[in-house]
Amino acid sequence: MVNTPQEQKRKAALAALEVIESGMKLGLGTGSTAAFMVRGLGQLYREHKLNDLICVPTSVATRNLAQEQGLPLTTINDVDRLDLTIDGTDEFDPQLNLIKGGGGALLREKIVASLSDRFVIIADASKEVDQLGRFPLPVEVVPFAWKTVARHIENSGIQALLRASMNPGDPYKTDQGNYILDLQTGGMPDLPKMKWMLEGLPGVVEHGLFLDMADEVFLGKEDRVERITKTN
C-alpha cells in the first residue's frame, strides 16, 4: 500500500497521543492532521483509556469535531495554563520554527500554544523544510485596513494576496471576522526581521510565524513516525 501524505498525517497524529496523560488540560489544534488527533483522542476518552481531560479547541471547526467526539471542552478564558497542545503545521525548519495558518486559525492557535507548557507538532513528511517560506505566510489583518497593510508589505518587495473564500468574490474570514493576507516570500533567511516588520504594522492582528515555540515534532514518513525534539 502506498503511504500517502494523508496516511503519514494519520500515523503522526495517532503516535502523538502517547504523550497525553489523564488529568491533562489540552489545546486541540486545527487542520486535517489535527483532526486525526482529535478523533483518536475521542476514541481513547470514550474507551476510558484517558480520563479527566479538559480541552481547549483552537477553532470553531475543531470545537465542533471535539463535541462530536464527546470530549469535555472549555475556553481559554477559563484556564490559566495548559499542560499540552498538539497541532499541525504548514512548514517547520531544523530549529522547529513554524509557519502556521493555512487553515485560518493562526490567532487562536498562537494564543493557545503560548499558554501551553508543551507544544507538540504533528506533520507529514512534506512539511519538513530547510528554510521557511515555500508555503505562503498567513497574516491576519483587520478588514478596515487590509489594503493599507498589503501596500506596506508589497513596498518591501513581498507579494501579499488576499485569501478568497469558497464564495466567488468574497474574502475568507477567520473565526474572529478578520481577513488573511498570504505572503509569497519565496524564503525567509531572516525570520526575526520578518517577525519584527509584521508586528510593527498597524492593522496586523497576528502572523503565522511561530518562532521558538514548538518543543517536538511527530513526523510521519513512509516507513515510520520520527520524533524530532528541539535542541537548545
Side-chain angles (χ1 to χ4, degrees):
M1 183 179 68
V2 177
N3 196 339
T4 64
Q6 283 296 103
E7 181 63 12
Q8 292 175 12
K9 291 178 182 182
R10 187 188 71 82
K11 288 182 176 180
L14 297 183
L17 294 175
E18 68 184 63
V19 304
I20 300 175
E21 300 176 2
S22 292
M24 277 189 165
K25 297 177 182 178
L26 300 173
L28 306 180
T30 293
S32 58
T33 312
F36 284 118
M37 179 271 298
V38 173
R39 294 188 186 99
L41 179 62
Q43 181 175 346
L44 293 175
Y45 184 76
R46 292 191 302 274
E47 293 173 352
H48 303 288
K49 294 177 180 178
L50 287 170
N51 302 295
D52 301 319
L53 300 177
I54 298 176
C55 301
V56 176
T58 55
S59 65
V60 172
T62 298
R63 181 191 67 198
N64 292 340
L65 177 58
Q67 285 177 333
E68 291 174 8
Q69 296 298 313
L71 291 167
L73 302 180
T74 189
T75 70
I76 199 66
N77 289 317
D78 293 321
V79 295
D80 295 325
R81 295 290 302 173
L82 296 170
D83 297 296
L84 170 69
T85 288
I86 301 178
D87 203 350
T89 190
D90 299 306
E91 285 185 344
F92 74 93
D93 70 11
Q95 290 73 45
L96 305 195
N97 294 311
L98 318 171
I99 287 181
K100 289 179 52 57
L106 61 156
L107 175 58
R108 294 190 187 185
E109 288 173 335
K110 189 171 285 188
I111 291 170
V112 170
S114 70
L115 292 175
S116 302
D117 293 336
R118 189 176 178 192
F119 185 31
V120 170
I121 296 300
I122 46 181
D124 65 89
S126 70
K127 306 302 191 297
E128 185 176 22
V129 298
D130 292 329
Q131 181 185 94
L132 297 185
R134 180 181 60 193
F135 191 90
L137 173 61
V139 178
E140 186 165 343
V141 297
V142 295
F144 173 78
W146 78 264
K147 285 188 177 180
T148 299
V149 174
R151 280 196 297 268
H152 277 296
I153 292 170
E154 292 191 331
N155 284 341
S156 68
I158 299 171
Q159 187 179 22
L161 302 178
L162 181 65
R163 186 178 297 185
S165 71
M166 299 297 290
N167 298 320
D170 291 339
Y172 173 88
K173 288 187 177 181
T174 69
D175 289 342
Q176 314 304 125
N178 295 316
Y179 293 170
I180 288 183
L181 296 172
D182 288 310
L183 309 192
Q184 315 299 307
T185 68
M188 292 178 284
D190 192 336
L191 296 176
K193 181 179 179 181
M194 177 65 73
K195 176 178 181 290
W196 176 84
M197 186 267 286
L198 293 173
E199 291 176 354
L201 289 178
V204 170
V205 178
E206 191 52 84
H207 56 79
L209 284 176
F210 285 54
L211 306 184
D212 197 29
M213 294 183 71
D215 297 296
E216 185 174 14
V217 174
F218 282 74
L219 184 64
K221 294 192 170 182
E222 288 189 3
D223 57 345
R224 68 191 189 281
V225 174
E226 180 182 356
R227 292 182 67 167
I228 306 172
T229 303
K230 181 178 179 179
T231 56
N232 295 324

